[in-house]
């Protein structure tokens, strides 16, 4: 079994991006600038947003963090998005999800300028992905493809089972794995909460991408020998062994499944860090697109 080290690969990617940014500075070109909007006090979202901002600093990007209490009105949030859309210095904008229930996520996502949609969640970005046109790829699925590529894991003709159908991971992941491209060309089965005989399907998989958000869902008796396992789950569960009082659990029962897997991602340190590296890559693309 080989452990897929997302922390190392994301650091390699960040180093590559930092080199490009340093060269841009030397050439007098624009420094990429990412704006992140966070609404509310959710601990997980705060951690993600802080890591995104910190990663911007590490690679030499400018960043702007905008925070609101969870009482902010939808109109106020939409007005801020419009302001950022019109700010020529800002290249990329993301609004951290989930949002409080009185705010429509759909409206918010649709209000982001597609040219600044570095999360790739806007219907225009999603539509382009479906149509096979160049676009911002959602960060987590793009990070997973990058991991498969850097570990030289063959996907062509393989049976890839995606667990979960979210707009953020499951759906775009299914599209990426089946597209006609290197690290695509797989036969993909998408499973979800209504799938019958799920273990029968996962046992046929050469590659499993687990993005259900159910801690330790995938067990050893649900996979075949030699499977490649990508764990996207990051559920916070109570723990009296950590200072914070919680720890992150993936969707895979790691100790069991790793015994049968040929490659597997750990949680934390697998897919998570790759999401941020992909976001930085998209922000760099946003600047480059505006120049051309
Ligand atoms: N919440 C969980 N994952 C993501 C993500 O990739 N982007 C945003 N904006 N919110 C998220």
């Amino acid at each position: 079994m080989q452990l897929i080290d997302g922390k190392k690969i994301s650091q390699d990617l960040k180093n590559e991006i930092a080199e490009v940014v340093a060269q841009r500075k030397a050439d007098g070109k624009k420094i990429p600038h990412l704006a992140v909007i966070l609404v509310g006090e959710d601990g997980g979202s705060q951690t993600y947003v802080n890591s995104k901002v910190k990663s911007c600093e590490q690679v030499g990007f400018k960043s702007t963090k905008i925070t609101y209490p969870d009482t902010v009105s939808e109109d106020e949030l939409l007005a801020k998005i419009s302001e950022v859309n019109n700010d020529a210095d800002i290249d990329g904008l993301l609004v951290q999800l989930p949002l409080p229930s009185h705010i429509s996520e759909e409206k918010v996502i649709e209000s982001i300028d597609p040219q600044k949609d570095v999360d790739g969640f806007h219907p225009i970005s999603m539509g382009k992905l479906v149509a096979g046109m160049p676009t911002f790829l959602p960060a987590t699925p793009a990070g997973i493809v990058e991991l498969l590529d850097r570990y030289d894991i063959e996907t062509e003709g393989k049976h890839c089972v995606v667990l979960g159908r979210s707009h953020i991971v499951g759906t775009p992941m299914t599209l990426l794995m089946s597209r006609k491209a290197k690290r695509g060309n797989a036969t993909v089965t998408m499973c979800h909460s209504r799938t019958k005989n799920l273990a029968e399907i996962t046992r046929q998989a050469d590659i499993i991408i687990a993005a259900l958000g159910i801690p330790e869902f995938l067990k050893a008796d649900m996979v075949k020998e030699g499977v490649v396992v990508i764990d996207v789950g990051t559920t916070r569960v109570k723990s009296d062994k950590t200072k914070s009082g919680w720890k992150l659990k993936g969707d895979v029962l790691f100790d069991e499944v790793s015994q049968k897997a040929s490659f597997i991602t750990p949680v934390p340190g697998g897919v998570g860090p790759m999401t941020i590296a992909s976001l930085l890559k998209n922000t760099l693309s946003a600047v480059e697109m505006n120049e051309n």
Side-chain angles (χ1 to χ4, degrees):
M1 183 274 291
Q2 196 176 345
L3 199 65
I4 298 180
D5 188 347
K7 218 167 145 188
K8 183 194 170 291
I9 302 292
S10 86
Q11 194 53 57
D12 291 349
L13 259 169
K14 282 196 223 171
N15 292 343
E16 290 163 24
I17 294 170
E19 271 178 35
V20 176
V21 176
Q23 188 58 52
R24 291 183 65 85
K25 273 188 191 162
D27 295 344
K29 290 185 174 166
K30 188 180 179 306
I31 301 306
H33 184 174
L34 175 71
V36 184
I37 300 181
L38 171 66
V39 180
E41 310 283 320
D42 177 74
S45 291
Q46 283 175 334
T47 308
Y48 287 132
V49 165
N50 290 338
S51 314
K52 288 171 186 180
V53 169
K54 198 171 133 213
S55 299
C56 282
E57 281 165 24
Q58 286 169 350
V59 299
F61 284 8
K62 274 168 76 177
S63 66
T64 298
K65 177 177 156 185
I66 302 156
T67 56
Y68 287 106
D70 60 10
T71 49
V72 69
S73 71
E74 189 179 273
D75 283 348
E76 198 180 336
L77 185 58
L78 293 174
K80 176 52 87 176
I81 292 170
S82 167
E83 190 187 312
V84 175
N85 282 342
N86 292 310
D87 183 336
D89 193 61
I90 296 176
D91 306 291
L93 163 64
L94 72 87
V95 180
Q96 188 66 25
L97 304 176
L99 290 169
S101 56
H102 67 279
I103 300 177
S104 157
E105 285 189 359
E106 272 180 21
K107 254 196 204 169
V108 165
I109 290 169
E110 273 195 291
S111 73
I112 295 172
D113 177 350
Q115 294 203 307
K116 299 192 180 189
D117 176 37
V118 285
D119 254 336
F121 295 167
H122 193 286
I124 288 187
S125 308
M126 289 272 217
K128 284 186 174 176
L129 176 60
V130 174
M133 293 161 73
T135 184
F136 294 115
L137 299 180
T140 301
I144 292 170
V145 172
E146 190 78 43
L147 282 179
L148 296 171
D149 194 44
R150 301 229 173 186
Y151 278 82
D152 203 19
I153 295 169
E154 183 59 79
T155 59
E156 185 171 322
K158 303 289 180 187
H159 184 196
C160 175
V161 172
V162 176
L163 302 178
R165 56 180 160 183
S166 73
H167 291 146
I168 296 182
V169 185
T171 298
M173 196 71 239
T174 299
L175 292 166
L176 288 180
M177 294 305 291
S178 57
R179 73 182 168 163
K180 207 173 200 168
K182 193 166 172 235
R183 308 304 161 194
N185 287 322
T187 304
V188 188
T189 305
M190 186 202 260
C191 300
H192 45 74
S193 54
R194 308 293 166 95
T195 298
K196 293 204 171 98
N197 305 322
L198 187 120
E200 262 173 45
I201 299 168
T202 53
R203 272 195 289 271
Q204 293 169 31
D206 302 305
I207 301 168
I208 299 177
I209 298 168
L212 292 165
I214 305 173
E216 300 182 333
F217 175 85
L218 192 77
K219 315 267 193 306
D221 63 357
M222 297 167 73
V223 306
K224 73 176 180 190
E225 204 65 49
V227 64
V228 174
V229 179
I230 307 291
D231 189 350
V232 188
T234 49
T235 309
R236 281 184 173 198
V237 296
K238 279 206 175 108
S239 167
D240 44 21
K241 291 200 186 93
T242 62
K243 220 165 74 184
S244 60
W246 55 266
K247 65 186 240 181
L248 276 188
K249 278 223 157 109
D251 287 355
V252 177
L253 187 52
F254 183 90
D255 290 348
E256 274 190 9
V257 175
S258 58
Q259 309 277 326
K260 289 174 93 174
S262 55
F263 291 89
I264 188 165
T265 60
V267 174
V271 173
M274 291 304 293
T275 298
I276 295 184
S278 304
L279 173 69
L280 298 173
K281 212 170 148 183
N282 279 348
T283 307
L284 185 57
S285 303
V287 191
E288 291 171 347
M289 262 161 39
N290 281 337
E291 286 165 346
N292 295 328

